[in-house]
Amino acid sequence: MRSALKDFARREWGPLYTAVRTALVTRRWRAIPMTLGAVCLTALFQLVQNQDWGYQPVQNIGSVRAEDPLWLALLRTPLSLFVPALDLPVWGALVQLLLVFGIAEICLGRWRTLAIAYLATLAGTLYARVGIALGPEGPLGLPASDAQVVDTGPSAAVVGLAVYVCRRYRARWTGALVVVAMVVEVLVKTNLAGKEHLAAIAAVLVLMAVESWRERRQPPPSDPEPERPGTRSWKPPITS
């Protein structure tokens, strides 16, 4: 039994563990500069928004609501990822950023990590508008009161990145567990955040499907032509 568990862990997390450990051992904290910056920015926003003078400025640059004009929501979306939700402990957002963003930055690179994080966040933000338009009757709909809910924090980006990294490193069971956990969250507690997490996962799944389709369409690399003995190519040697 113990041997079977070790074999499963090696198959499921071995490549991911090796990539992360190698980067941290060789480069230490220099391996995740973007992640450290995100953690510091989130902590700074948390400190500022809890001051009497700082709450409104943070809301003005990073608070997204479905009732806001679309152009304003899109403008605030990048920073909304780093504004922690006021009704949740900030340490949860900081741990999510440090772990998931750190692993993604090592495994995917800085810019791809940011791109996928914003794709997942944007999917959740746009879904909120669609869900409210559908109304609370359908399974994908939302009540009109959710239009006034402040939609901030890294959770949608974290979920999307987790699913994407699991797919890239073949941690299929872990990725499936993340998806199942988000579905259970919606079934147990139907709220805006839970359904936005599912929207983020859907956007990442579409991205992965497109990437897989493009990979299948790429022609396999052709084998180099063999060289004749004593020559650099098929051309005959030059004689004088």
Side-chain angles (χ1 to χ4, degrees):
M1 181 65 177
R2 183 175 300 178
S3 176
L5 290 176
K6 287 183 178 180
D7 291 341
F8 171 79
R10 190 179 298 110
R11 291 193 306 269
E12 184 76 4
W13 303 302
L16 184 60
Y17 172 79
T18 300
V20 173
R21 183 179 183 278
T22 300
L24 292 179
V25 168
T26 57
R27 301 178 61 195
R28 299 185 183 275
W29 296 111
R30 296 192 303 275
I32 52 172
M34 183 269 294
T35 298
L36 296 178
V39 170
C40 292
L41 182 61
T42 301
L44 177 62
F45 277 141
Q46 173 68 8
L47 178 64
V48 172
Q49 74 177 354
N50 280 284
Q51 309 301 318
D52 293 337
W53 53 268
Y55 172 77
Q56 196 56 50
V58 172
Q59 295 295 301
N60 291 340
I61 64 175
S63 174
V64 176
R65 297 179 178 85
E67 67 178 2
D68 295 334
L70 180 59
W71 68 267
L72 182 60
L74 295 177
L75 191 63
R76 290 175 174 176
T77 294
L79 283 180
S80 73
L81 197 156
F82 305 109
V83 177
L86 289 171
D87 58 339
L88 297 174
V90 67
W91 62 263
L94 297 179
V95 170
Q96 289 178 6
L97 284 170
L98 184 61
L99 290 180
V100 179
F101 269 62
I103 292 172
E105 184 176 4
I106 290 171
C107 297
L108 307 176
R110 183 183 314 167
W111 298 114
R112 178 167 289 191
T113 297
L114 279 176
I116 294 172
Y118 282 128
L119 171 67
T121 302
L122 185 61
T125 297
L126 296 179
Y127 158 74
R129 296 170 179 270
V130 175
I132 291 169
L134 292 174
E137 292 79 12
L140 299 179
L142 294 169
S145 58
D146 281 348
Q148 301 175 354
V149 175
V150 177
D151 180 20
T152 59
S155 59
V158 164
V159 170
L161 282 171
V163 172
Y164 190 91
V165 170
C166 287
R167 179 258 181 183
R168 285 291 297 270
Y169 280 79
R170 300 183 183 278
R172 297 184 178 89
W173 288 101
T174 305
L177 181 62
V178 173
V179 176
V180 170
M182 295 302 102
V183 173
V184 171
E185 177 189 16
V186 171
L187 294 177
V188 172
K189 185 179 180 181
T190 304
N191 57 12
L192 175 62
K195 291 188 176 182
E196 283 189 343
H197 293 165
L198 294 183
I201 291 174
V204 171
L205 291 177
V206 170
L207 173 64
M208 293 190 299
V210 171
E211 289 181 344
S212 297
W213 175 77
R214 291 182 61 184
E215 290 172 0
R216 289 195 300 269
R217 286 182 59 87
Q218 290 180 352
S222 58
D223 296 331
E225 294 181 351
E227 296 182 358
R228 290 181 176 178
T231 65
R232 295 178 179 271
S233 67
W234 280 100
K235 295 180 181 179
I238 299 175
T239 59
S240 57

